[in-house]
Amino acid sequence: MRTRKNHDVGTRGPHSGNTMLSRLLPPAGPARVLTGITLVHTLGQGLWMALSAIYATTVLGLSPGRFAVGVGIAAGIALLVSTPTGHLADRIGPRSVQICSFLALGPLTAALLVVDGFASYLLVISAQAVAYSASRSARMAMVAGLVPPQDRVSVRAYLRATSNVSVSVGAALAGLLLAADSVRAYQAAVVFNASTYLATGLLTLLLPAVAAQPARPGPALTVLRDRPYLAFVVLDGLLSMHNLLLDVVLPLWVLHRTHAPRWMIAAILLTNTVAVVLLQVRAARGTDEPTAAAKASRSGALCLAAACVIFSFSGGTSAAVAGALLFLGALAHVLGEIRQSAGSWGMSFALAPEHAQGQYQGTYAMGSDLGKMIAPALLTWLAVDHGGPGWLVMALGFALAGAAMPRIAAWARREREAAPDAVAA
């Protein structure tokens, strides 16, 4: 990682050293502070992801159906406000937005302790969705504002590796609370999660401020007129559905359509986590400009397609053969995951004008949000209900979406060359 005046992200290369610490922490400077903030933030997330459904149904007494409806409404709200909150980060400065949103998330999370019904639960999680959407857009605008263009994807890779470790620790803590299985234990999880939000907001004060962008002539939300970028967001959202393969689809596939032992599910998830931690930073090298990033997305998509093909052959075989195929497919999947993620980050930053990184990063996040909303039902229907042919349809979809990425990058380049004044930073 190179040092630039006024954008210092360290004094030595990001890949120097072979220790685990060097894989998780970038050199000293804003990038390392961003990593520390991510560490605290995702620790609380990892804990709460494992407990939110339990808390809502056990402590608050909501039915599973009402819990699902509430989560769906909150996800829709987060999706709708993602671009406007990103624009707000551009206009008043991403650090201010990040601090305010995290400080708001603290008491909003603690409010779950006094929720007494579905209406108040829906109100709280909807307000949380707005604050969380703002914090997400602001965090990526902070990366764009504090890190030189050639280093942004590497920093995103560090953040991804760190979050994988932190989420795993949070999930392990959740396991201890689940073992206790008491109302007090679950309420303690709410307090802990709220405290991580407050700590994250205060830690953001350690970062330098990123200058706010003045109002410009023309429409405020320019990203909504950027057709190449919107096409990229849609295709990237489709590719991002692979994130649900291991968490949702593959466990059901293993249980219902293969003879593999159940412990294979945990082994695959652990393999994925370790591989991301060890390989994500390396996989992100050379993906900081659109053409290279698009090629990385394409190669990652092909690996994901190969994983789907391999998974398709694991049904109806012996336990040993199924286990071997599942493990081989998981390796192909994680290679595709880390490469596709790197290409995705590279395109999201490089295709966005510097003066509008907030709204562009907010819009970029909408793609993965849509993928998360579609993937569980669609991919489960394909794999579990239709078996091998369903996996092959998935493989074809990933391959086609990845193959289109270089065309999107070329389209964006032509648009910029045709109207350079419109996208000048």
Side-chain angles (χ1 to χ4, degrees):
M1 196 176 286
R2 292 166 290 203
T3 302
R4 290 291 185 90
K5 186 177 181 181
N6 297 328
H7 290 285
D8 182 26
V9 290
T11 57
R12 59 184 177 86
H15 310 292
S16 60
N18 295 314
T19 65
M20 179 64 74
L21 188 63
S22 69
R23 294 181 187 277
L24 295 179
L25 293 178
R32 182 169 291 185
V33 178
L34 285 165
T35 303
I37 290 171
T38 299
L39 186 71
V40 176
H41 171 52
T42 52
L43 180 65
Q45 277 195 314
L47 175 76
W48 191 242
M49 282 190 299
L51 294 176
S52 60
I54 303 296
Y55 184 84
T57 56
T58 301
V59 179
L60 301 182
L62 300 180
S63 68
R66 284 198 163 189
F67 167 72
V69 168
V71 171
I73 291 174
I77 291 173
L79 190 71
L80 290 174
V81 302
S82 190
T83 300
T85 55
H87 177 61
L88 180 68
D90 290 326
R91 290 298 305 274
I92 69 175
R95 191 179 76 158
S96 298
V97 171
Q98 179 164 312
I99 291 171
C100 291
S101 59
F102 277 127
L103 292 182
L105 278 166
L108 284 173
T109 300
L112 291 171
L113 296 171
V114 296
V115 163
D116 59 358
F118 177 69
S120 56
Y121 175 74
L122 182 60
L123 179 63
V124 169
I125 64 172
S126 296
Q128 282 182 318
V130 175
Y132 180 78
S133 180
S135 72
R136 182 178 59 182
S137 300
R139 285 201 309 277
M140 292 306 100
M142 290 288 285
V143 173
L146 296 175
V147 180
Q150 75 276 7
D151 293 327
R152 290 170 185 167
V153 178
S154 293
V155 170
R156 280 287 270 133
Y158 276 114
L159 299 182
R160 172 76 179 282
T162 302
S163 65
N164 263 41
V165 173
S166 187
V167 166
S168 298
V169 173
L173 293 174
L176 297 176
L177 295 177
L178 285 168
D181 192 26
S182 69
V183 172
R184 286 186 179 274
Y186 298 140
Q187 290 175 334
V190 173
V191 174
F192 180 82
N193 193 32
S195 67
T196 62
Y197 283 127
L198 294 175
T200 302
L202 295 175
L203 286 171
T204 304
L205 292 169
L206 300 176
L207 289 168
V210 175
Q213 296 293 331
R216 293 170 180 263
L221 302 180
T222 57
V223 66
L224 300 182
R225 295 169 179 255
D226 191 334
R227 293 177 298 168
Y229 198 88
L230 294 177
F232 154 69
V233 168
V234 171
L235 288 175
D236 186 73
L238 294 176
L239 286 176
S240 74
M241 291 196 298
H242 70 76
N243 291 311
L244 279 298
L245 275 181
L246 296 192
D247 295 339
V248 177
V249 181
L250 205 62
L252 295 174
W253 171 258
V254 170
L255 290 175
H256 298 291
R257 299 298 293 262
T258 80
H259 298 296
R262 295 189 176 190
W263 56 260
M264 279 297 301
I265 299 171
I268 288 172
L269 292 173
L270 179 62
T271 300
N272 178 271
T273 299
V274 173
V276 170
V277 172
L278 295 178
L279 301 176
Q280 184 65 80
V281 174
R282 180 170 295 185
R285 292 177 183 174
T287 58
D288 48 19
E289 62 89 21
T291 301
K295 290 179 179 178
S297 286
R298 181 178 61 189
S299 63
L302 291 176
C303 288
L304 294 170
C308 291
V309 173
I310 296 170
F311 289 144
S312 74
F313 289 112
S314 64
T317 63
S318 67
V321 173
L325 288 172
L326 288 168
F327 186 73
L328 182 61
L331 292 179
H333 177 278
V334 75
L335 291 176
E337 176 185 345
I338 59 178
R339 194 64 175 156
Q340 186 274 327
S341 296
S344 172
W345 302 328
M347 292 184 72
S348 74
F349 285 123
L351 297 183
E354 290 299 307
H355 68 271
Q357 284 285 353
Q359 63 170 283
Y360 271 71
Q361 296 309 314
T363 304
Y364 162 67
M366 292 173 63
S368 62
D369 285 344
L370 286 171
K372 290 175 184 176
M373 293 173 66
I374 297 171
L378 175 61
L379 300 189
T380 300
W381 176 72
L382 284 172
V384 179
D385 292 354
H386 294 86
W391 281 109
L392 297 180
V393 170
M394 267 190 266
L396 180 62
F398 284 134
L400 290 176
M405 284 302 186
R407 295 179 179 272
I408 297 295
W411 181 18
R413 184 177 63 250
R414 290 194 301 270
E415 291 281 316
R416 291 195 173 210
E417 290 171 352
D421 293 339
V423 296

